[in-house]
Amino acid sequence: MRIDRERATQVTVRDQPAKEHRRTRQRAAVDEVLDETEDFISAQELHALLRTRGAGVGLATVYRTLQTLADDGRVDVLRSDAGEAVYRRCVREEHHHHLVCRSCGATVEIAGPTVERWAKSVADQHGYTDVSHTLEIFGTCPRCAA
Amino acid sequence: MRIDRERATQVTVRDQPAKEHRRTRQRAAVDEVLDETEDFISAQELHALLRTRGAGVGLATVYRTLQTLADDGRVDVLRSDAGEAVYRRCVREEHHHHLVCRSCGATVEIAGPTVERWAKSVADQHGYTDVSHTLEIFGTCPRCAA
DNA sequence: TCAAGACTGACAACCATTGTCAAAACAGCC
DNA sequence: GGCTGTTTTGACAATGGTTGTCAGTCTTGA
């Protein structure tokens, strides 16, 4: 197995502050959807949504745009269990995790300094350096449980 | 987004104790590789490995076998960053996490009762029930860092 | 306005994974 | 050892998310 350094996880702290990109209709459209969407959404879903709105954007463009945003640290990425990448505008600037509803996808962003420290110390203990981690909590939200 | 209840994460506790399966050459071969392999391995890699050994096993069979093992809780599954599912014979019986080397895949299994409790309490706080979680730590192992 | 180059979109290509289904292997039984 | 019902296998097709391609279009800075 080979884990790509750059894309290993969305929680890796970025060094470069984000290159400038051109403002285009397509990117604005994707941005708008992300702004309106509370929960994680897949590239496919986003593409379909744009299509129904009439603001057609090519699928490849949606993928590219999301990837760019992710690279710039402007959206959170995580993999749904099906292996599909799902995206979400991140609200917190700092490193954080998610509590995600299994059935509707409702998400709560969570800061966990304790966990951060724990992860760091565990890695140190085993001599691992350059550490990052992924942590997501899944459950059934109150609304879906009702 | 739809997160499948059954496969949401490898850390969900299994209720059923594992159905009996027939012993076949193919399953034995997969088992053997898993026994010998310390680190996470993908279905594709395992398949290729078997092929080079002469113990040819169909790709579909490899997938099915791994899936069965995973369902029975006999192997750990996690998704590499590329979205590929990777498997590993789990050593610990109880719920645990992994510290994985980004470059060589070397893995350390980790128990983190603190984290378990934290995850549970966070979920409770937000009214989420039926909680499970994923947590993996990535880093560069001492050998690769040298 | 203009040119350079970034961006887009339709489509093909990729690749992990799953579905299909007839043939083969297994386990229990005689 | 054979028989038989069931499980398992494997070759192949199909699926589906994602990425590559490349000519045409749009942005931007001059």
Side-chain angles (χ1 to χ4, degrees):
Chain A
M1 180 180 60
R2 183 78 184 74
I3 297 177
D4 186 320
R5 178 82 170 65
E6 281 312 298
R7 309 185 49 218
T9 160
Q10 76 279 14
V11 305
T12 303
V13 178
R14 311 270 165 208
D15 298 331
Q16 301 91 329
K19 215 199 307 177
E20 269 312 300
H21 299 290
R22 292 188 175 171
R23 266 61 57 72
T24 66
R25 173 182 70 78
Q26 292 83 346
R27 285 178 189 173
V30 169
D31 250 35
E32 194 180 350
V33 170
L34 288 172
D35 278 338
E36 299 167 7
T37 309
E38 276 288 295
D39 307 327
F40 280 94
I41 186 173
S42 71
Q44 302 281 345
E45 287 170 330
L46 209 162
H47 174 245
L49 195 53
L50 287 172
R51 173 164 295 190
T52 63
R53 291 189 183 188
V57 174
L59 181 57
T61 301
V62 171
Y63 273 102
R64 276 184 299 238
T65 304
L66 288 172
Q67 197 152 5
T68 302
L69 288 171
D71 286 345
D72 292 350
R74 285 201 263 262
V75 294
D76 290 333
V77 192
L78 63 86
R79 293 216 169 247
S80 77
D81 180 63
E84 202 180 9
V86 288
Y87 305 82
R88 180 173 192 265
R89 167 91 68 224
C90 49
V91 178
R92 292 172 188 272
E93 273 302 307
E94 340 79 67
H95 170 56
H96 59 273
H97 302 289
H98 301 100
L99 170 57
V100 186
C101 174
R102 250 194 290 270
S103 100
C104 71
T107 303
V108 181
E109 295 196 350
I110 294 171
T114 311
V115 181
E116 315 300 315
R117 279 195 299 274
W118 174 80
K120 180 75 170 54
S121 79
V122 164
D124 283 351
Q125 256 171 55
H126 292 87
Y128 279 57
T129 50
D130 202 5
V131 181
S132 65
H133 61 271
T134 58
L135 167 57
E136 310 300 337
I137 308 178
F138 297 95
T140 305
C141 75
R143 188 173 311 183
C144 288
Chain B
M1 179 181 60
R2 183 78 185 78
I3 297 176
D4 186 319
R5 179 81 170 64
E6 280 315 295
R7 308 186 50 218
T9 162
Q10 78 278 16
V11 304
T12 303
V13 178
R14 312 264 165 214
D15 298 331
Q16 303 90 329
K19 216 197 313 176
E20 269 312 300
H21 299 291
R22 290 190 177 169
R23 264 62 54 74
T24 66
R25 174 182 71 76
Q26 292 84 346
R27 283 177 190 172
V30 169
D31 251 35
E32 195 181 349
V33 170
L34 287 173
D35 278 337
E36 299 167 6
T37 309
E38 276 289 295
D39 308 327
F40 281 94
I41 187 173
S42 71
Q44 300 281 346
E45 286 170 330
L46 210 162
H47 174 246
L49 196 53
L50 287 172
R51 173 165 295 191
T52 64
R53 289 190 184 187
V57 174
L59 181 57
T61 302
V62 172
Y63 272 102
R64 275 184 299 237
T65 304
L66 288 173
Q67 198 153 2
T68 303
L69 287 171
D71 286 346
D72 293 350
R74 285 200 264 262
V75 294
D76 290 335
V77 192
L78 62 85
R79 294 217 168 247
S80 77
D81 180 63
E84 202 179 8
V86 287
Y87 304 83
R88 179 173 192 266
R89 168 90 67 224
C90 48
V91 180
R92 292 172 189 271
E93 274 301 308
E94 340 79 66
H95 170 56
H96 59 273
H97 303 289
H98 302 100
L99 171 57
V100 186
C101 174
R102 250 193 291 270
S103 102
C104 72
T107 304
V108 180
E109 295 197 351
I110 294 171
T114 312
V115 181
E116 316 300 316
R117 278 196 298 274
W118 174 80
K120 180 75 169 56
S121 79
V122 164
D124 282 351
Q125 256 170 55
H126 292 86
Y128 279 57
T129 51
D130 202 6
V131 181
S132 65
H133 62 271
T134 58
L135 167 57
E136 311 299 335
I137 308 178
F138 297 97
T140 306
C141 76
R143 188 173 311 185
C144 288

